Amino acid sequence: MRELMSGNEAIARGAWEAGVHYATGYPGTPSTEILENIAHYDDIDSDWSSNEKVAFDIGIGVSLAGKRALVTMKHVGLNVAADSFMVFPYSGCNGGFVVISADDPGMHSSQNEQDNRYFAKFGKVPMLEPASPQEAKDFVPLAFELSERFDTPVLLRTTTRISHAKGAVELGERRAVEPRTYETDIHRFLVPPFARSRRPTVEERLVQLLEFSESFELNRVEEGDPKIGVISSGVAYQYAREVLPDATYLRLTMAFPFPAEKARAFCERFDVVHIIEEGEPFIEEQLRIHGITNIVGKEKIPLMGELNPEIIAHAIEGTPIPKGFGEEISIPARPPMFCLGCPHRGVFYVLKKMMNQDVVAMGDIGCYTLGGLPPYSSLQTCFSMGASVGTAVGFAKGITDEVGPRSVGVIGDGTFLHGGIPGLIDMVYKKSPATLVICDNSTTGMTGQQEHAGTGKALSGEEAPKVDLLQLVKSIGVEFVRTVDPYDLKLLRKTMKEAVKHQGPSVVITEHACLMLPAERAVKRDPIQFEAEDCNKCKLCDDLGCPAIEWSDDAGPIIDEIRCVGCEMCVELCNPNALHGPSPAGA
Amino acid sequence: MGKTYNILMAGVGGQGVLVASETLALAAIAEGLEAKQSEVHGVAQRGGSVVSHVRFGDRVNSPLIRCGEVDLLYASERLEALRYAHYVKPGGTFVMDDRAIKPIHIAEGPEPPYPDKVPEFLRGKGYDVIVVPALQTAVELGDQRCANIALLGALSSRLPLGEKSWTAAIEKRMKPKILELNQRAFAAGRNLAVPVIG
């Protein structure tokens, strides 16, 4: 049977076919849909974890107990899990263990461009790279076989165009896998005291894996024009095929351990071989280390950004890249923005008003990073998951002027649970004169509304214990804690003013559910009404930055009735009551 | 079928461009062809510009269409038609709603004007431009959210895929609750793009 599937849907199917017992991970573009789709298979037990390291550690536990474990994350998630990722190869696994890293070349939805093929080499872990949805599915059972055969975690690495591109997939059946038994073995699993004795095991395993990689049928030569040689992998192979359809290819599916002798034999057949790889010169470096030098790689193929067929055609054949019509006709950019009715809009409207009162706000990873851009421009920083809290504490320490700005961190509910809690502990421990705003929208918003430990629901949609953020913050020792609905702009502003005046650490939790949640979407609110004769043209509503309000100096606010979701934040700001909800003003 | 068809589908986040492009890819699969569809999820979708590549034929490698090789451009908004116009091959076809959604202005400097007379501009470049009032059609059918499928219906009149494949694709992609609405939207759109003679 053939089904149209994205790479992520195909990986979920592959996990089912591979007899995976347990799957977990943390949402992150472009990896999120793997676990969301795994949740549809009743044979697999699956959950979101609070962060990637916790997910990885849970995966280790499942593997040691004898079952097959799959752990999913985006590229930066592997940084969070790296502490365990780097050590697990020392012990090796029991049940098969596969970790998926979905990289985001071009940074469509990421803070950096990071080629996680290097993590395979760094952690001395074998790596598979699919180039199509079909391979994405097929490589999951393969990865588990390798994991159990070589007693090692395996890295399955995808990129945005593998995870999110859809194609036809031929489906297979589930092969049930009997759990293995667990036997205590401190010489393997109690790593630090026995790390020295395990160290050679890691290298011996790599020798065996290299032997496998050299003879692996999916590190294969595809014959074509005997004069044009190309080495490629992943989606770059598909782009290369588009530009050089008739070339002879060495297609690498397992680029680590690197099959250098296979590559050497291939390169000896050609005067020059093109190395077409997306991202860093991973394959190219391996070739050069092994003294294979009749190659052209990154001197032509760009190192930065995503590849595509026209970039490769330009690099190899000099074909010009077609230009847009921007020089002849105005084509304004269309940047992303807060959704209509987004509760974050209230938070950043208020923060923007407070910028003039010497507030410096440190942001975090989530939709609310958009609060750093116009029309709000009220966040000054954003680095990584949970970083708002530590940077706010540090900034407060770093300010030498006693009357300097108040340091404020802004973080979402999911990100706070992921990596913000230790920072808040330090904010209290260090008696930091800083404020943390936790924007609780009851979901992991940016990645498409996933559950977490604070939403009261599990991945399956079933009820789950819910972390009480207010009690959690209080228990850490924060004395000033307030909760407020960010739609209530006046109360939010008053609360924020008090919070930043408080001498020690203070926390404001804004509570309003993301309007993209199914339950919120189901609520139909009528568009806002405007009474022109009552308008004093104060323009406060325009200041809100709502995409459904267009300001006209003559007519005042023009409400786009098709787009307006009736959140009434503009009504809150309208002093003369010219804007009002479906019920008559003042009623 | 020999030829690989390249369709680029553009619009604004929230307009249902991805649903329409998945439906198209499903129709190609139902026709027994190979198909690939690619777009970007994540923060880019928050009201930003959305573009999805759909390719089908006997064999498809790249999930991305090479710039300048698009046969048909589907655009649910006029500025987005313009933004990706250079992807279209010379003489290629646009199936577009001439609707305007103004972007927020966040860059430095004065706000650039929102483009006007886009179909005329594109025709001046030698493209075949079919303007379809998809949003208006959807509103008339009772729900603006089926505008994406009305426009897909219009696009379908220019593609070599059988009616059975389209029917199967729509049934597969749409939830039962909104299936009938989208079937009507598709049919209405398909009729709109067929030149009326006499």
Side-chain angles (χ1 to χ4, degrees), chain A residues 62-177:
Chain A
V62 170
S63 162
L64 296 193
K67 289 188 174 175
R68 285 190 163 184
L70 181 73
V71 183
T72 73
M73 56 198 66
K74 70 181 290 174
H75 62 284
V76 285
L78 198 51
N79 302 342
V80 177
D83 206 359
S84 294
F85 175 83
M86 297 299 293
V87 178
F88 192 31
Y90 277 60
S91 78
C93 49
N94 186 24
F97 181 101
V98 175
V99 55
I100 296 176
S101 164
D103 295 8
D104 187 16
M107 298 170 278
H108 293 289
S109 196
S110 300
Q111 62 268 40
N112 73 343
E113 202 166 51
Q114 177 179 310
D115 189 334
N116 275 9
R117 293 180 296 173
Y118 285 94
F119 255 119
K121 188 172 178 244
F122 196 25
K124 299 174 186 279
V125 165
M127 171 183 67
L128 294 172
E129 288 179 274
S132 67
Q134 182 71 54
E135 290 185 348
K137 178 188 82 67
D138 294 345
F139 287 5
V140 181
L142 175 64
F144 276 97
E145 280 162 34
L146 292 178
S147 170
E148 286 166 2
R149 177 168 157 197
F150 293 98
D151 185 25
T152 176
V154 173
L155 177 65
L156 184 69
R157 186 236 183 196
T158 73
T159 55
T160 303
R161 300 292 178 182
I162 297 300
S163 278
H164 283 175
K166 295 196 173 196
V169 176
E170 194 68 50
L171 304 183
E173 286 308 312
R174 179 171 169 94
R175 193 176 72 84
V177 177

Side-chain angles (χ1 to χ4, degrees), chain A residues 2-292:
Chain A
R2 268 183 0 141
E3 284 274 352
L4 181 72
M5 286 184 157
S6 68
N8 283 348
E9 289 168 313
I11 288 171
R13 174 74 187 195
W16 181 77
E17 291 180 10
V20 166
H21 299 101
Y22 184 76
T24 188
Y26 186 82
T29 311
S31 73
T32 312
E33 302 80 10
I34 300 171
L35 213 55
E36 286 186 317
N37 281 284
I38 281 180
H40 300 152
Y41 297 97
D42 290 340
D43 296 319
I44 308 175
D45 184 10
S46 59
D47 274 314
W48 289 120
S49 292
S50 288
N51 69 37
E52 294 86 351
K53 180 169 188 303
V54 173
F56 197 96
D57 293 339
I58 292 172
I60 291 178
V62 170
S63 162
L64 296 193
K67 289 188 174 175
R68 285 190 163 184
L70 181 73
V71 183
T72 73
M73 56 198 66
K74 70 181 290 174
H75 62 284
V76 285
L78 198 51
N79 302 342
V80 177
D83 206 359
S84 294
F85 175 83
M86 297 299 293
V87 178
F88 192 31
Y90 277 60
S91 78
C93 49
N94 186 24
F97 181 101
V98 175
V99 55
I100 296 176
S101 164
D103 295 8
D104 187 16
M107 298 170 278
H108 293 289
S109 196
S110 300
Q111 62 268 40
N112 73 343
E113 202 166 51
Q114 177 179 310
D115 189 334
N116 275 9
R117 293 180 296 173
Y118 285 94
F119 255 119
K121 188 172 178 244
F122 196 25
K124 299 174 186 279
V125 165
M127 171 183 67
L128 294 172
E129 288 179 274
S132 67
Q134 182 71 54
E135 290 185 348
K137 178 188 82 67
D138 294 345
F139 287 5
V140 181
L142 175 64
F144 276 97
E145 280 162 34
L146 292 178
S147 170
E148 286 166 2
R149 177 168 157 197
F150 293 98
D151 185 25
T152 176
V154 173
L155 177 65
L156 184 69
R157 186 236 183 196
T158 73
T159 55
T160 303
R161 300 292 178 182
I162 297 300
S163 278
H164 283 175
K166 295 196 173 196
V169 176
E170 194 68 50
L171 304 183
E173 286 308 312
R174 179 171 169 94
R175 193 176 72 84
V177 177
E178 269 310 298
R180 300 176 172 196
T181 50
Y182 168 69
E183 280 165 32
T184 305
D185 186 354
I186 59 166
H187 296 274
R188 278 181 68 193
F189 302 132
L190 194 67
V191 173
F194 301 101
R196 284 194 191 123
S197 67
R198 289 297 295 178
R199 181 71 184 86
T201 314
V202 178
E203 298 303 321
E204 287 156 19
R205 182 198 293 139
L206 274 185
V207 172
Q208 292 166 14
L209 282 164
L210 175 61
E211 223 170 272
F212 174 85
S213 180
E214 287 282 6
S215 59
F216 182 37
E217 69 271 15
L218 292 178
N219 281 337
R220 67 165 178 251
V221 176
E222 295 172 359
E223 294 297 342
D225 186 334
K227 288 205 172 66
I228 311 172
V230 177
I231 302 181
S232 191
S233 71
V235 76
Y237 162 79
Q238 304 286 20
Y239 302 149
R241 267 278 173 214
E242 211 65 47
V243 177
L244 302 167
D246 304 319
T248 299
Y249 283 84
L250 172 58
R251 231 206 93 183
L252 296 177
T253 288
M254 186 191 259
F256 187 81
F258 186 75
E261 292 317 308
K262 191 176 268 186
R264 189 189 309 282
F266 181 81
C267 290
E268 278 170 358
R269 295 170 52 189
F270 305 91
D271 291 338
V272 172
V273 174
H274 290 285
I275 313 304
I276 302 180
E277 56 184 326
E278 193 169 58
E280 302 291 327
F282 183 81
I283 295 172
E284 186 179 344
E285 283 175 4
Q286 291 294 316
L287 291 165
R288 293 196 190 280
I289 287 167
H290 289 90
I292 302 163

Side-chain angles (χ1 to χ4, degrees), chain A residues 447-475:
Chain A
T447 44
Q449 295 78 45
Q450 287 75 36
E451 306 297 345
H452 59 64
T455 67
K457 277 192 180 164
L459 171 60
S460 61
E462 286 167 25
E463 297 280 309
K466 181 178 173 174
V467 173
D468 183 330
L469 288 182
L470 180 63
Q471 293 306 321
L472 175 64
V473 169
K474 281 184 177 169
S475 73

